Amino acid sequence: MSQTRTSSKSHDQSPRDDGAELARKLIGKAPVAGDEDVAQWRGVAAEDRADGEMRAKTSAFLKKRSRALLWSLLKPYRWVVLAMVLLVLVENASRLAIPSLVTHGIDEGIPPLKANGDSSTLLTTIAIMLGAVVIHTITRIAFIQISGRMGQNVLLELRRRLFKHFQRLDVAFHERYTSGRVISRLTNDIEAIMELLQTGFDGLITAALTLIGIGTILLFMDFHLGAVVLICFPIVMLVVRWFSKASTRTYRRVREYAAMVIVHFVETMGGIRAVQSYRREQRNQEIFSDLSDRYGHANVTAMRLNAIFSPSIKLIGNVTTVAVLVYGGWRVMHGDMTVGVLAGFLLYLRQFFEPMQEISQFYNTFQSANSALEKLSGVLEEEPTVVQPTSPVPLEHPRGEVHFDQVEFSYVDGSPVLPSLELTIPAGQTLALVGTTGAGKTTIAKLMSRFYDPVGGRLTLDGIDLRELSDDDLRKAVVMVTQENFMFDGTVGENIAFGRPGSSDEEIAAAARAVGADTFINELPDGYGTDVGKRGGRLSAGQRQLIAFARAFLADPAVLILDEATSSLDIPSERLVQQALRTILADRTAVIIAHRLSTVEVADRVLVLEHGQIIEDGAPAALTNQEDGRYARLHQAWINSLA
Amino acid sequence: MLSEPKKPEVSVITDQPARTEPPEEPNAWLHTVGTDDAATTLGRPPRIAPPPKWNNRGANLWRLHPYLRPFLHRFIFSFVLAFVGIGLGLAIPLITQAVIDGPIADSDHRGLWILGTVALAIGILDAVTQWGRRWVVNVGTVGVETLVRKDLYAKLQRLPMAFHGHWESGQLLSRIMNDLNRIRRFVGFGMTFLIVSTIQILVVTILLLNMFWPLGLVVLVSSVPIIVMVLINQKHYTRMSRQIQDQTGDVATTVEESVQGLRVIKAFGRANHLFAKFDRRSVKLYDVTMERVWLSAKFWTFLEVIPTLTMIIVLGLGAWAVGSGAITIGTLVAFMTLMLSLIWPISSLGFQLAMAQESMTAADRVAEVLDIDNSITDGDTVLDPEAVQGRLTFTDVRFRFDDADADLLHGLNLDIAPGETIAVVGGTGSGKTLLTALVPRLQDVTGGSITIDGTDIRDLRLAQLRSIVATAFEEPTLFSMSARENLTLGRPDASEEDIAEAIEVAQAGFVHDLPWGLDTRIGEQGMSLSGGQRQRLALARAVLTRPKILVLDDTLSALDIHTEELVERALKRVLVGVTGIVVAHRASTVLLADRVAVLIDGRIAHVGTHSELLATVPEYRELLSAEFNAEAEMATQSPGAEAEMATQDPPDPEGAEDDLTPTGGAR
């Protein structure tokens, strides 16, 4: 703490430089994303060329899309909005009644009181005022409550919709979009919309109503002066148009940089172990500083637009007032109108321009939320390429027969990973896939669990095309365990129960026992109740893998895919898992991808793959004996490596 | 370089004059550099001021004032202009009144033009003032936000793994974005107007007292319920704001896990399960927010009702006073008019106080992180980098997770000579991975010590320690950056030749086949790469830093046999002259090492060569040769296969242990 103290003191000597430099960065020329430093560390990726969000779409299109989203969110509340308008009307009437009642009380109530002690008028006025206060209180509380509830409902609905949508989108989308941006959409953009919903709905309604009401009164009071006031309208419109255009662009930038800051932040914190051990802190700090400055710059630009916009409206109002004053005065001098009318006109004029200020404030929040809505509506419009069937074929009791019918697949057009795969896995068979990196093993696994759909041909389970199965049925039937043993926040038990939510403690423990995970779990401080720590940081990689196995065991699918699922296990654990596998795999179809032949040897059948094609197919023992076969050689190498 | 262990010449440069007072040093930079550049920000503690003696609600917000200081002139300017603006705003109706009462009443054309021009000037000035205030202050408010954000990030980068294991990243994210936004808004707008409103209320009240003190007193008394309400409200509002802001972080955490664990969620079809969790948290957020909406509704309305009620009382009493001749009607009218001007500042107080409360809560949450004591900090010893030998010694090392009640490592001793490679073998959860985290001080030992060339690693500067030690983790962490940036993480200045060499050692040549070669952005977490490819990149990264001590945490587990063999051959070359710790799960990896240490029950139970240990230590046999055993078992279970196997190499189901001795073809 003493360090902190000295530092902040000695730092006092040059705070201005610091501020000046940062200020320069914040107000300098707009930094362009993609130039300088930034592009270099980020590298090039396919999505830069065809970004899902910004596919040469016009501003008008984006606006229309986000309005449609806003409308779909607000539609269920249109009657509530109407009720709110009524409430605001009553509320304002009761609020505005007070000053005029005060005047009334003084003008009409006091003279009789003074003259003959008659307080009836005064008392009546006071009684009416009290009534107005009561009405005001009730309507005000009701309004804040109702508008608050509506806002929060809309927000909750939007959160739910987005969350579900992101879960529905396929893996390919997420690989392109990155998690940081998803997080940014679901946190920061939502926050911007919350701002809109929280601030000034009543202000906006009041302002709009006042504007219309007073505008009408002005025209009726004196047409000439009213016309002068109307002249300012086109000017206001021009300013609004300018602001609208300029701020739309700027707020888009704010949102984009906010997302970039979040992406960088999330990645740093997720990979903090690598950051620290490779002394990446400084470079990261440079990148983060750069992104923060850009984000700050975008924010300053947005605020400065508002700093021009709002006073401009004020200026127009002030100038109009002076014009009315001078022109009205001139008219009074020439006897064209009375002083009383001019005085009244000027008073109303003030009330006419005040709500305009309010509207300009609101418009600013609106623009910010609008950019967020644009982003969100863009995401909501993304359709998964892996589509759920509209009328799925039911699969009651899956047997687990998998058939690849001339399946073709490629991640990038023109370089097929699987040229044309013909493969039948009978129900109950344990199949091992062997081959080098890029042979297509993982692709087969991903196709079976429908992370992707084949480009050509069909993939069936019990004769039904995977594309015709409902997601629920498919996931109940096919489960994949990978080496990426993601742990969710919570306890060990909860993480196992992920395989089948709602499992009892006994079932969870039984699953753990079955894969041999119970030994280490029982040694944890709180057994199954031990918190796994962020991303399972409390556990070793091997332990996480055992939990993932228990999870899969609990899920009890007809088809189980193990993609390098045993690579982190040490030998005793692997042995346990292997023993367990015999029981686990006994009555189900299984596909095992492993580079360790010890795991492969559990299989009934081995496929050796190369460039997406099957080059050997047979029982492990048979392949081992094949003269100069690929598998036989691999097996020999493995035997050698053991010694 | 010589691989034979020789007595390390410990060249420790201690007590260098410039290094004797390390805390002073980062500050010294500031005098000359005085910027927020990356090195400076990382090199100094956060600028947050120490806690003041008065310790109330706003203390943490106040503590952020050093961040405001660089922009102080802007804030003062804005503050002055805010007052000028209020004055000008009031002047316009006054001038209007003057025009009507003067020139118009007198039909004075010249006067009309003169006063009209003055009114125009004031009107323009009014707008210009508003523009000027905003134009100038927004740089300050965004500046403050940006400075705190960078400091917060720097702090988080330096906090140890133990911290990061406990804190949900969503909570951190909501601090760095939402909370800072809140503080920014308050500093830029709320703060000024809270002060302006308060002053306005005070001034008007004094004027009212001056005008007719009995009625003024009524106004003064009416402030009592307001103050009481504000105080009561503050308590509830604070609690709710805190709840809301924490809950926002929880929602962010679920969002994060739902997207980062997407593949697992999809593989199990658990989107609904995750949604239920997200929904629970969102609904809870909804509930606390609604609770606060209800509180605000009551409080804000109250703030509007009290002045109105006061006005009614004043009217009644005033009428009575006029009736009794104590004051004139004119005075009462003036009094009431002045009072009307109080209604807006008082009712806007509700909104401004809410903003203040939220930003105080936000400041609390930010200060919480900035205040965390960093247990892993720089030592003050600097070794001569050229003379580092790389003798790594573990002496009686103990480690216990802070929430555990027993040590995971208890009294671990191990001495690794310079240039020697040691394989560490142990069961799942025995603490092998932990051991690898202790060397670069990602975690600190809780007992005993680890030394490099006789110097306790806690006495070293972290940057130096971590340049001596490079670690390749089992689960490689890749960032969504170019492949090159991922590779050169620990050595940004690496030449093309160095990179090429590292790629070759790690058999990571696949990077050249990526669409844009080394400049291709590796997707987040490298998910488009296979597990083996990621491991190879991580290995290349470790090799590239040219460490004195290389720590490999089962880095080859996801490689197929062929690649593993190639990598191992290359690694053997690299490991010459480098002290190595290799966490190994299989025999092939163990063979990289000169000696093997067996980790059992938190201690190094045995040290020896692979064959020695196989021959003499049953636990070691258990750990490293189960594969034969598994095969043997398979042979027993499937008689058909047994016959086939028998021709391959004869396993004896009964005497499996005999097969465990290294009799394989490698000999």
PDB file of all heavy atoms in Angstrom, chain B residues 159-185:
ATOM      1  N   LEU B 159      -1.991 -10.110 -12.129  1.00  0.00           N
ATOM      2  CA  LEU B 159      -2.481 -10.934 -11.020  1.00  0.00           C
ATOM      3  C   LEU B 159      -2.235 -12.415 -11.312  1.00  0.00           C
ATOM      4  O   LEU B 159      -2.327 -12.851 -12.452  1.00  0.00           O
ATOM      5  CB  LEU B 159      -3.974 -10.664 -10.786  1.00  0.00           C
ATOM      6  CG  LEU B 159      -4.246  -9.380 -10.001  1.00  0.00           C
ATOM      7  CD1 LEU B 159      -5.722  -9.064  -9.989  1.00  0.00           C
ATOM      8  CD2 LEU B 159      -3.699  -9.458  -8.586  1.00  0.00           C
ATOM      9  N   PRO B 160      -1.928 -13.164 -10.260  1.00  0.00           N
ATOM     10  CA  PRO B 160      -1.509 -14.556 -10.471  1.00  0.00           C
ATOM     11  C   PRO B 160      -2.669 -15.473 -10.831  1.00  0.00           C
ATOM     12  O   PRO B 160      -3.834 -15.119 -10.722  1.00  0.00           O
ATOM     13  CB  PRO B 160      -0.926 -14.948  -9.110  1.00  0.00           C
ATOM     14  CG  PRO B 160      -1.617 -14.065  -8.138  1.00  0.00           C
ATOM     15  CD  PRO B 160      -1.881 -12.770  -8.849  1.00  0.00           C
ATOM     16  N   MET B 161      -2.283 -16.683 -11.247  1.00  0.00           N
ATOM     17  CA  MET B 161      -3.255 -17.690 -11.645  1.00  0.00           C
ATOM     18  C   MET B 161      -4.288 -17.939 -10.550  1.00  0.00           C
ATOM     19  O   MET B 161      -5.458 -18.166 -10.835  1.00  0.00           O
ATOM     20  CB  MET B 161      -2.539 -19.017 -11.937  1.00  0.00           C
ATOM     21  CG  MET B 161      -1.664 -18.996 -13.142  1.00  0.00           C
ATOM     22  SD  MET B 161      -2.562 -18.510 -14.604  1.00  0.00           S
ATOM     23  CE  MET B 161      -3.747 -19.836 -14.705  1.00  0.00           C
ATOM     24  N   ALA B 162      -3.838 -17.909  -9.312  1.00  0.00           N
ATOM     25  CA  ALA B 162      -4.748 -18.206  -8.212  1.00  0.00           C
ATOM     26  C   ALA B 162      -5.940 -17.260  -8.265  1.00  0.00           C
ATOM     27  O   ALA B 162      -7.091 -17.661  -8.069  1.00  0.00           O
ATOM     28  CB  ALA B 162      -4.024 -18.074  -6.880  1.00  0.00           C
ATOM     29  N   PHE B 163      -5.657 -15.985  -8.551  1.00  0.00           N
ATOM     30  CA  PHE B 163      -6.739 -15.011  -8.673  1.00  0.00           C
ATOM     31  C   PHE B 163      -7.657 -15.379  -9.835  1.00  0.00           C
ATOM     32  O   PHE B 163      -8.876 -15.424  -9.698  1.00  0.00           O
ATOM     33  CB  PHE B 163      -6.145 -13.614  -8.891  1.00  0.00           C
ATOM     34  CG  PHE B 163      -7.149 -12.608  -9.380  1.00  0.00           C
ATOM     35  CD1 PHE B 163      -7.935 -11.914  -8.481  1.00  0.00           C
ATOM     36  CD2 PHE B 163      -7.323 -12.374 -10.735  1.00  0.00           C
ATOM     37  CE1 PHE B 163      -8.868 -11.004  -8.920  1.00  0.00           C
ATOM     38  CE2 PHE B 163      -8.253 -11.471 -11.190  1.00  0.00           C
ATOM     39  CZ  PHE B 163      -9.025 -10.779 -10.285  1.00  0.00           C
ATOM     40  N   HIS B 164      -7.059 -15.641 -10.966  1.00  0.00           N
ATOM     41  CA  HIS B 164      -7.870 -15.890 -12.160  1.00  0.00           C
ATOM     42  C   HIS B 164      -8.694 -17.162 -12.037  1.00  0.00           C
ATOM     43  O   HIS B 164      -9.739 -17.290 -12.654  1.00  0.00           O
ATOM     44  CB  HIS B 164      -6.980 -15.933 -13.401  1.00  0.00           C
ATOM     45  CG  HIS B 164      -6.494 -14.581 -13.803  1.00  0.00           C
ATOM     46  ND1 HIS B 164      -7.257 -13.692 -14.508  1.00  0.00           N
ATOM     47  CD2 HIS B 164      -5.331 -13.945 -13.561  1.00  0.00           C
ATOM     48  CE1 HIS B 164      -6.592 -12.571 -14.699  1.00  0.00           C
ATOM     49  NE2 HIS B 164      -5.417 -12.702 -14.133  1.00  0.00           N
ATOM     50  N   GLY B 165      -8.187 -18.123 -11.246  1.00  0.00           N
ATOM     51  CA  GLY B 165      -8.952 -19.342 -11.042  1.00  0.00           C
ATOM     52  C   GLY B 165     -10.226 -19.094 -10.260  1.00  0.00           C
ATOM     53  O   GLY B 165     -11.207 -19.799 -10.419  1.00  0.00           O
ATOM     54  N   HIS B 166     -10.189 -18.073  -9.409  1.00  0.00           N
ATOM     55  CA  HIS B 166     -11.336 -17.823  -8.544  1.00  0.00           C
ATOM     56  C   HIS B 166     -12.350 -16.873  -9.147  1.00  0.00           C
ATOM     57  O   HIS B 166     -13.519 -16.926  -8.830  1.00  0.00           O
ATOM     58  CB  HIS B 166     -10.882 -17.246  -7.205  1.00  0.00           C
ATOM     59  CG  HIS B 166     -10.262 -18.271  -6.324  1.00  0.00           C
ATOM     60  ND1 HIS B 166     -10.867 -19.468  -6.063  1.00  0.00           N
ATOM     61  CD2 HIS B 166      -9.098 -18.301  -5.649  1.00  0.00           C
ATOM     62  CE1 HIS B 166     -10.098 -20.185  -5.270  1.00  0.00           C
ATOM     63  NE2 HIS B 166      -9.013 -19.502  -5.006  1.00  0.00           N
ATOM     64  N   TRP B 167     -11.876 -15.946  -9.964  1.00  0.00           N
ATOM     65  CA  TRP B 167     -12.776 -14.906 -10.462  1.00  0.00           C
ATOM     66  C   TRP B 167     -13.376 -15.295 -11.789  1.00  0.00           C
ATOM     67  O   TRP B 167     -12.664 -15.631 -12.726  1.00  0.00           O
ATOM     68  CB  TRP B 167     -12.016 -13.579 -10.607  1.00  0.00           C
ATOM     69  CG  TRP B 167     -11.873 -12.883  -9.306  1.00  0.00           C
ATOM     70  CD1 TRP B 167     -11.163 -13.314  -8.228  1.00  0.00           C
ATOM     71  CD2 TRP B 167     -12.452 -11.629  -8.926  1.00  0.00           C
ATOM     72  NE1 TRP B 167     -11.271 -12.415  -7.214  1.00  0.00           N
ATOM     73  CE2 TRP B 167     -12.052 -11.374  -7.603  1.00  0.00           C
ATOM     74  CE3 TRP B 167     -13.278 -10.711  -9.584  1.00  0.00           C
ATOM     75  CZ2 TRP B 167     -12.452 -10.221  -6.935  1.00  0.00           C
ATOM     76  CZ3 TRP B 167     -13.666  -9.579  -8.908  1.00  0.00           C
ATOM     77  CH2 TRP B 167     -13.260  -9.341  -7.600  1.00  0.00           C
ATOM     78  N   GLU B 168     -14.671 -15.194 -11.855  1.00  0.00           N
ATOM     79  CA  GLU B 168     -15.345 -15.452 -13.111  1.00  0.00           C
ATOM     80  C   GLU B 168     -14.967 -14.367 -14.100  1.00  0.00           C
ATOM     81  O   GLU B 168     -14.951 -13.188 -13.756  1.00  0.00           O
ATOM     82  CB  GLU B 168     -16.862 -15.411 -12.907  1.00  0.00           C
ATOM     83  CG  GLU B 168     -17.386 -16.466 -11.962  1.00  0.00           C
ATOM     84  CD  GLU B 168     -17.119 -17.868 -12.484  1.00  0.00           C
ATOM     85  OE1 GLU B 168     -16.695 -17.981 -13.638  1.00  0.00           O
ATOM     86  OE2 GLU B 168     -17.321 -18.824 -11.730  1.00  0.00           O
ATOM     87  N   SER B 169     -14.689 -14.766 -15.321  1.00  0.00           N
ATOM     88  CA  SER B 169     -14.266 -13.757 -16.270  1.00  0.00           C
ATOM     89  C   SER B 169     -15.392 -12.788 -16.622  1.00  0.00           C
ATOM     90  O   SER B 169     -15.139 -11.629 -16.941  1.00  0.00           O
ATOM     91  CB  SER B 169     -13.691 -14.405 -17.520  1.00  0.00           C
ATOM     92  OG  SER B 169     -14.463 -15.512 -17.870  1.00  0.00           O
ATOM     93  N   GLY B 170     -16.629 -13.260 -16.527  1.00  0.00           N
ATOM     94  CA  GLY B 170     -17.754 -12.358 -16.782  1.00  0.00           C
ATOM     95  C   GLY B 170     -17.771 -11.203 -15.795  1.00  0.00           C
ATOM     96  O   GLY B 170     -18.090 -10.065 -16.140  1.00  0.00           O
ATOM     97  N   GLN B 171     -17.392 -11.501 -14.563  1.00  0.00           N
ATOM     98  CA  GLN B 171     -17.331 -10.451 -13.545  1.00  0.00           C
ATOM     99  C   GLN B 171     -16.263  -9.424 -13.902  1.00  0.00           C
ATOM    100  O   GLN B 171     -16.433  -8.232 -13.679  1.00  0.00           O
ATOM    101  CB  GLN B 171     -17.030 -11.052 -12.170  1.00  0.00           C
ATOM    102  CG  GLN B 171     -18.182 -11.832 -11.559  1.00  0.00           C
ATOM    103  CD  GLN B 171     -19.348 -10.943 -11.171  1.00  0.00           C
ATOM    104  OE1 GLN B 171     -19.292  -9.721 -11.302  1.00  0.00           O
ATOM    105  NE2 GLN B 171     -20.430 -11.545 -10.725  1.00  0.00           N
ATOM    106  N   LEU B 172     -15.159  -9.906 -14.438  1.00  0.00           N
ATOM    107  CA  LEU B 172     -14.090  -8.981 -14.824  1.00  0.00           C
ATOM    108  C   LEU B 172     -14.525  -8.149 -16.017  1.00  0.00           C
ATOM    109  O   LEU B 172     -14.304  -6.937 -16.070  1.00  0.00           O
ATOM    110  CB  LEU B 172     -12.822  -9.765 -15.158  1.00  0.00           C
ATOM    111  CG  LEU B 172     -12.271 -10.614 -14.013  1.00  0.00           C
ATOM    112  CD1 LEU B 172     -11.040 -11.382 -14.472  1.00  0.00           C
ATOM    113  CD2 LEU B 172     -11.925  -9.738 -12.817  1.00  0.00           C
ATOM    114  N   LEU B 173     -15.171  -8.823 -16.964  1.00  0.00           N
ATOM    115  CA  LEU B 173     -15.613  -8.129 -18.170  1.00  0.00           C
ATOM    116  C   LEU B 173     -16.626  -7.043 -17.827  1.00  0.00           C
ATOM    117  O   LEU B 173     -16.546  -5.925 -18.346  1.00  0.00           O
ATOM    118  CB  LEU B 173     -16.230  -9.139 -19.139  1.00  0.00           C
ATOM    119  CG  LEU B 173     -16.749  -8.554 -20.437  1.00  0.00           C
ATOM    120  CD1 LEU B 173     -15.592  -8.022 -21.257  1.00  0.00           C
ATOM    121  CD2 LEU B 173     -17.510  -9.590 -21.230  1.00  0.00           C
ATOM    122  N   SER B 174     -17.562  -7.352 -16.945  1.00  0.00           N
ATOM    123  CA  SER B 174     -18.578  -6.351 -16.625  1.00  0.00           C
ATOM    124  C   SER B 174     -17.928  -5.166 -15.910  1.00  0.00           C
ATOM    125  O   SER B 174     -18.415  -4.054 -15.987  1.00  0.00           O
ATOM    126  CB  SER B 174     -19.702  -6.957 -15.799  1.00  0.00           C
ATOM    127  OG  SER B 174     -19.258  -7.310 -14.524  1.00  0.00           O
ATOM    128  N   ARG B 175     -16.819  -5.405 -15.236  1.00  0.00           N
ATOM    129  CA  ARG B 175     -16.129  -4.274 -14.611  1.00  0.00           C
ATOM    130  C   ARG B 175     -15.461  -3.394 -15.656  1.00  0.00           C
ATOM    131  O   ARG B 175     -15.545  -2.177 -15.613  1.00  0.00           O
ATOM    132  CB  ARG B 175     -15.082  -4.778 -13.625  1.00  0.00           C
ATOM    133  CG  ARG B 175     -15.670  -5.156 -12.280  1.00  0.00           C
ATOM    134  CD  ARG B 175     -14.672  -5.915 -11.432  1.00  0.00           C
ATOM    135  NE  ARG B 175     -15.152  -6.103 -10.086  1.00  0.00           N
ATOM    136  CZ  ARG B 175     -16.046  -7.006  -9.703  1.00  0.00           C
ATOM    137  NH1 ARG B 175     -16.598  -7.792 -10.598  1.00  0.00           N
ATOM    138  NH2 ARG B 175     -16.418  -7.121  -8.447  1.00  0.00           N
ATOM    139  N   ILE B 176     -14.806  -4.047 -16.583  1.00  0.00           N
ATOM    140  CA  ILE B 176     -13.997  -3.263 -17.519  1.00  0.00           C
ATOM    141  C   ILE B 176     -14.868  -2.545 -18.548  1.00  0.00           C
ATOM    142  O   ILE B 176     -14.440  -1.558 -19.149  1.00  0.00           O
ATOM    143  CB  ILE B 176     -12.926  -4.154 -18.185  1.00  0.00           C
ATOM    144  CG1 ILE B 176     -11.701  -3.323 -18.523  1.00  0.00           C
ATOM    145  CG2 ILE B 176     -13.448  -4.844 -19.426  1.00  0.00           C
ATOM    146  CD1 ILE B 176     -10.447  -4.092 -18.606  1.00  0.00           C
ATOM    147  N   MET B 177     -16.093  -3.021 -18.756  1.00  0.00           N
ATOM    148  CA  MET B 177     -16.967  -2.321 -19.695  1.00  0.00           C
ATOM    149  C   MET B 177     -18.082  -1.555 -18.969  1.00  0.00           C
ATOM    150  O   MET B 177     -18.083  -0.347 -18.909  1.00  0.00           O
ATOM    151  CB  MET B 177     -17.562  -3.291 -20.722  1.00  0.00           C
ATOM    152  CG  MET B 177     -16.556  -3.960 -21.638  1.00  0.00           C
ATOM    153  SD  MET B 177     -15.472  -2.856 -22.591  1.00  0.00           S
ATOM    154  CE  MET B 177     -16.578  -2.162 -23.796  1.00  0.00           C
ATOM    155  N   ASN B 178     -19.031  -2.277 -18.377  1.00  0.00           N
ATOM    156  CA  ASN B 178     -20.211  -1.616 -17.816  1.00  0.00           C
ATOM    157  C   ASN B 178     -19.875  -0.647 -16.700  1.00  0.00           C
ATOM    158  O   ASN B 178     -20.355   0.478 -16.678  1.00  0.00           O
ATOM    159  CB  ASN B 178     -21.191  -2.645 -17.252  1.00  0.00           C
ATOM    160  CG  ASN B 178     -21.584  -3.672 -18.284  1.00  0.00           C
ATOM    161  OD1 ASN B 178     -21.099  -3.621 -19.407  1.00  0.00           O
ATOM    162  ND2 ASN B 178     -22.437  -4.591 -17.919  1.00  0.00           N
ATOM    163  N   ASP B 179     -19.072  -1.115 -15.753  1.00  0.00           N
ATOM    164  CA  ASP B 179     -18.800  -0.265 -14.602  1.00  0.00           C
ATOM    165  C   ASP B 179     -18.049   0.995 -15.009  1.00  0.00           C
ATOM    166  O   ASP B 179     -18.330   2.084 -14.523  1.00  0.00           O
ATOM    167  CB  ASP B 179     -18.021  -1.046 -13.538  1.00  0.00           C
ATOM    168  CG  ASP B 179     -18.912  -2.065 -12.835  1.00  0.00           C
ATOM    169  OD1 ASP B 179     -20.140  -1.847 -12.824  1.00  0.00           O
ATOM    170  OD2 ASP B 179     -18.404  -3.052 -12.306  1.00  0.00           O
ATOM    171  N   LEU B 180     -17.107   0.841 -15.915  1.00  0.00           N
ATOM    172  CA  LEU B 180     -16.357   2.032 -16.344  1.00  0.00           C
ATOM    173  C   LEU B 180     -17.254   2.989 -17.119  1.00  0.00           C
ATOM    174  O   LEU B 180     -17.109   4.202 -17.010  1.00  0.00           O
ATOM    175  CB  LEU B 180     -15.138   1.629 -17.168  1.00  0.00           C
ATOM    176  CG  LEU B 180     -14.043   0.914 -16.371  1.00  0.00           C
ATOM    177  CD1 LEU B 180     -12.806   0.700 -17.228  1.00  0.00           C
ATOM    178  CD2 LEU B 180     -13.669   1.697 -15.126  1.00  0.00           C
ATOM    179  N   ASN B 181     -18.183   2.446 -17.899  1.00  0.00           N
ATOM    180  CA  ASN B 181     -19.137   3.315 -18.591  1.00  0.00           C
ATOM    181  C   ASN B 181     -19.931   4.133 -17.591  1.00  0.00           C
ATOM    182  O   ASN B 181     -20.178   5.315 -17.787  1.00  0.00           O
ATOM    183  CB  ASN B 181     -20.124   2.489 -19.423  1.00  0.00           C
ATOM    184  CG  ASN B 181     -19.524   2.081 -20.746  1.00  0.00           C
ATOM    185  OD1 ASN B 181     -18.458   2.576 -21.123  1.00  0.00           O
ATOM    186  ND2 ASN B 181     -20.176   1.186 -21.443  1.00  0.00           N
ATOM    187  N   ARG B 182     -20.349   3.464 -16.515  1.00  0.00           N
ATOM    188  CA  ARG B 182     -21.138   4.156 -15.499  1.00  0.00           C
ATOM    189  C   ARG B 182     -20.332   5.277 -14.870  1.00  0.00           C
ATOM    190  O   ARG B 182     -20.825   6.383 -14.679  1.00  0.00           O
ATOM    191  CB  ARG B 182     -21.566   3.174 -14.413  1.00  0.00           C
ATOM    192  CG  ARG B 182     -22.751   2.385 -14.828  1.00  0.00           C
ATOM    193  CD  ARG B 182     -23.361   1.633 -13.685  1.00  0.00           C
ATOM    194  NE  ARG B 182     -24.410   0.805 -14.248  1.00  0.00           N
ATOM    195  CZ  ARG B 182     -24.262  -0.474 -14.537  1.00  0.00           C
ATOM    196  NH1 ARG B 182     -23.142  -1.085 -14.260  1.00  0.00           N
ATOM    197  NH2 ARG B 182     -25.247  -1.137 -15.079  1.00  0.00           N
ATOM    198  N   ILE B 183     -19.105   4.975 -14.551  1.00  0.00           N
ATOM    199  CA  ILE B 183     -18.262   5.995 -13.924  1.00  0.00           C
ATOM    200  C   ILE B 183     -18.073   7.160 -14.890  1.00  0.00           C
ATOM    201  O   ILE B 183     -18.150   8.319 -14.515  1.00  0.00           O
ATOM    202  CB  ILE B 183     -16.905   5.390 -13.509  1.00  0.00           C
ATOM    203  CG1 ILE B 183     -17.121   4.379 -12.386  1.00  0.00           C
ATOM    204  CG2 ILE B 183     -15.939   6.480 -13.065  1.00  0.00           C
ATOM    205  CD1 ILE B 183     -15.905   3.605 -11.990  1.00  0.00           C
ATOM    206  N   ARG B 184     -17.853   6.826 -16.147  1.00  0.00           N
ATOM    207  CA  ARG B 184     -17.654   7.875 -17.134  1.00  0.00           C
ATOM    208  C   ARG B 184     -18.864   8.809 -17.201  1.00  0.00           C
ATOM    209  O   ARG B 184     -18.732  10.030 -17.203  1.00  0.00           O
ATOM    210  CB  ARG B 184     -17.419   7.268 -18.520  1.00  0.00           C
ATOM    211  CG  ARG B 184     -17.152   8.308 -19.589  1.00  0.00           C
ATOM    212  CD  ARG B 184     -18.009   8.136 -20.816  1.00  0.00           C
ATOM    213  NE  ARG B 184     -17.724   6.906 -21.534  1.00  0.00           N
ATOM    214  CZ  ARG B 184     -18.568   6.378 -22.405  1.00  0.00           C
ATOM    215  NH1 ARG B 184     -19.739   6.958 -22.643  1.00  0.00           N
ATOM    216  NH2 ARG B 184     -18.274   5.262 -23.016  1.00  0.00           N
ATOM    217  N   ARG B 185     -20.031   8.215 -17.244  1.00  0.00           N
ATOM    218  CA  ARG B 185     -21.235   9.034 -17.365  1.00  0.00           C
ATOM    219  C   ARG B 185     -21.407   9.954 -16.159  1.00  0.00           C
ATOM    220  O   ARG B 185     -21.791  11.099 -16.286  1.00  0.00           O
ATOM    221  CB  ARG B 185     -22.463   8.147 -17.549  1.00  0.00           C
ATOM    222  CG  ARG B 185     -23.104   8.364 -18.902  1.00  0.00           C
ATOM    223  CD  ARG B 185     -24.245   7.410 -19.109  1.00  0.00           C
ATOM    224  NE  ARG B 185     -23.738   6.069 -19.356  1.00  0.00           N
ATOM    225  CZ  ARG B 185     -24.243   4.976 -18.813  1.00  0.00           C
ATOM    226  NH1 ARG B 185     -25.247   5.059 -17.975  1.00  0.00           N
ATOM    227  NH2 ARG B 185     -23.743   3.804 -19.109  1.00  0.00           N
TER     228      ARG B 185
END
